[in-house]
Amino acid sequence: MKNILVPIGSSENSASNLQYAIDLAKEVNANVYVVSVFQELSKVGGLSKVNTILKEESENRLDEVLSLVDMKGVQVIAHPIKGEVLEGIGRISKQVPIDLMVLAPRSNSIKEEVYLGKTSGKLLKQTNIPILVVPEGAKFQPPKTMLMAFKNGTFEHDYLLEAVRQFKKSFGTEVHILHVETPETTEEMKEVTENLKSLQTSYAQVEAATTFQAVIEYFQHFNPDMLCVIRRKRGFFKKLWEKNEIHKREFHTSKPLLVLPVQE
């Protein structure tokens, strides 16, 4: 894990979220890239001055958040980026190989009933970078245990599990597997590839209507420090995929949520 990306929004939680990423980066010897996205307006009609102001505001927001954190000797690179947030993150990931994106659940939303705000939800569902959603105000603690829940045990490429491997390697994290059999499960999905077996501390196969429901049912039993799920349109977030904003009544967790890339 060499490069960690942290998008900064208008949330008051931005500084604590960045501090969490810096503390993690310190432990794994990674760099931190901090970005603030601003939407550039059309230059037609003399709006170039407005665009200059928008860029300056983005730069000032970065400076403000950076002034509130302890760098701890970690290399932190900050950039304002113009354009829509998904496009901007995509451009960065083409220039710098991003190993993990650390997100606050609500980058902009001020609604208390919201777990994932629209921006964070959009990034989680529409990028294919490993993402760690950090609870608001959380301080980094090396995760001793991780609950990893999925329906399909076939991981064709090792890179899909790299984030889990890095946590296990760096912190000795115990990886407890919850392999969920649903009415949609096929025989192939019941198999578990060797690359995952090499990481698991324990393995449990359970039956449930969805992976989502299995996590709700078994979370307290495992009481993990971190929850890990797979980014699949027909996976953990199937019920929630219609919209980017996710309300706490639908799902929330007080533990860091690691979302792995989808298998292509």
Side-chain angles (χ1 to χ4, degrees):
M1 192 180 295
K2 296 298 182 183
N3 299 311
I4 297 173
L5 177 65
V6 185
I8 294 297
S10 60
S11 168
E12 294 180 0
N13 191 50
S14 294
S16 66
N17 188 61
L18 176 56
Q19 188 67 63
Y20 187 103
I22 290 172
D23 293 349
L24 169 58
K26 176 74 172 176
E27 294 291 330
V28 300
N29 194 29
N31 302 317
V32 175
Y33 290 82
V34 192
V35 297
S36 177
V37 181
F38 67 97
Q39 191 74 51
E40 189 173 65
L41 303 176
S42 169
K43 293 184 179 180
V44 177
L47 291 175
S48 58
K49 289 184 178 180
V50 176
N51 288 329
T52 299
I53 293 172
L54 291 173
K55 183 179 180 181
E56 288 177 352
E57 288 180 345
S58 185
E59 291 172 340
N60 292 339
R61 175 59 177 157
L62 285 170
D63 290 342
E64 176 190 3
V65 174
L66 289 172
S67 72
L68 298 173
V69 299
D70 181 356
M71 303 291 190
K72 298 188 174 181
V74 172
Q75 184 173 8
V76 179
I77 302 101
H79 283 294
I81 55 176
K82 66 180 179 180
E84 198 273 332
V85 63
L86 284 175
E87 176 198 358
I89 297 298
R91 290 203 312 271
I92 291 173
S93 62
K94 288 179 181 178
Q95 299 294 322
V96 180
I98 300 299
D99 301 301
L100 184 71
M101 181 158 45
V102 175
L103 287 182
R106 300 182 298 171
S107 59
N108 298 306
S109 177
I110 60 173
K111 294 183 286 188
E112 288 298 323
E113 70 272 16
V114 169
Y115 169 62
L116 278 181
K118 289 183 179 178
T119 302
S120 297
K122 182 184 292 186
L123 286 171
L124 187 147
K125 295 176 183 181
Q126 297 183 42
T127 62
N128 208 28
I129 300 170
I131 287 178
L132 185 63
V133 182
V134 177
E136 295 180 8
K139 298 184 184 302
F140 176 75
Q141 294 290 337
K144 295 180 180 178
T145 59
M146 175 189 296
L147 175 61
M148 182 178 177
F150 54 83
K151 184 168 58 176
N152 187 347
T154 301
F155 291 83
E156 297 178 355
H157 306 288
D158 289 345
Y159 77 85
L160 298 168
L161 296 167
E162 186 57 32
V164 177
R165 187 176 294 107
Q166 286 293 331
F167 277 105
K168 186 176 181 70
K169 177 183 176 181
S170 299
F171 307 113
T173 307
E174 295 182 352
V175 181
H176 299 285
I177 300 300
L178 191 65
H179 194 168
V180 184
E181 183 176 338
T182 75
E184 299 174 344
T185 296
T186 64
E187 288 301 315
E188 182 181 0
M189 294 164 68
K190 293 179 182 179
E191 300 295 324
V192 178
T193 46
E194 291 298 324
N195 52 5
L196 179 58
K197 288 181 180 179
S198 67
L199 297 174
Q200 68 187 37
T201 302
S202 72
Y203 175 88
Q205 190 171 32
V206 301
E207 294 183 3
T210 64
T211 309
F212 182 88
Q213 289 185 12
V215 168
I216 299 299
E217 182 176 351
Y218 289 93
F219 190 87
Q220 290 302 323
H221 172 75
F222 288 94
N223 193 28
D225 298 321
M226 182 176 289
L227 174 62
C228 176
V229 297
I230 318 300
R231 185 191 284 105
R232 289 195 183 103
K233 288 192 175 182
R234 296 186 60 78
F236 183 76
F237 290 102
K238 178 180 177 181
K239 287 177 62 180
L240 311 176
W241 208 268
E242 298 302 321
K243 55 190 185 307
N244 289 322
E245 189 174 87
I246 295 176
H247 287 240
K248 289 181 178 179
R249 67 177 181 272
E250 297 167 311
F251 172 78
H252 73 278
T253 175
S254 60
K255 303 294 177 69
L257 173 67
L258 177 63
V259 185
L260 300 183
V262 68
Q263 302 193 57
E264 306 206 1

